[in-house]
Amino acid sequence: MGADLKPIRTDADYEAALAEAGRLWGARSGTPEGDRLDVLATLIDAYESRHYPMDPPDAIDAILFRMEQQGLTRKDLEPLIGPRGRVAEVLNRKRGLSIEMIRNLHEGLGISAEILIRPTRHEEAA
């Protein structure tokens, strides 16, 4: 088995950890190789979280993703957001979400309220 495990501090450490994880991929859980892979995965995840953070989606991206997942149309959003024109304004980032819309989308589509209250990209640029 490889050298002692140590924190990933540099891009070279990161690349080496990825390469070793690739070699260990598929190792059975509970074996020394499987345990090493689990620890490497944790170290890799911690390094990626620090160096390559992902921005959470804005509210509109989350709504569009959920629509795609569930095969929904804009018409399906009317009970949650309002008339067709309002749905279009919201999805085109021309109108922000009201508290009532946020509640309805959270309950109706199961989108996290935390994501729905985030400013959309259009609001951040203003």
Side-chain angles (χ1 to χ4, degrees), residues 15-82:
E15 293 299 327
L18 286 175
E20 184 171 357
R23 284 193 302 276
L24 294 171
W25 199 252
R28 286 194 15 229
S29 188
T31 65
E33 293 82 12
D35 289 349
R36 187 171 180 85
L37 178 60
D38 286 346
V39 173
L40 274 170
T42 301
L43 293 171
I44 289 167
D45 184 52
Y47 183 83
E48 288 175 345
S49 294
R50 266 192 322 277
H51 295 284
Y52 308 109
M54 287 182 57
D55 291 333
D58 79 357
I60 304 309
D61 290 338
I63 293 167
L64 293 171
F65 178 73
R66 188 56 49 95
M67 287 173 68
E68 184 179 319
Q69 269 186 326
Q70 297 182 1
L72 303 175
T73 66
R74 287 180 174 220
K75 184 158 185 61
D76 295 321
L77 296 183
E78 290 177 19
L80 305 173
I81 293 177

Side-chain angles (χ1 to χ4, degrees), residues 59-60 63 81 90 95-99 101-102 105 116-117 123:
I60 304 309
I63 293 167
I81 293 177
V90 166
R95 175 191 284 261
L97 294 170
S98 69
I99 295 297
M101 289 177 206
I102 290 170
L105 290 163
L116 291 170
I117 63 172
E123 291 168 336

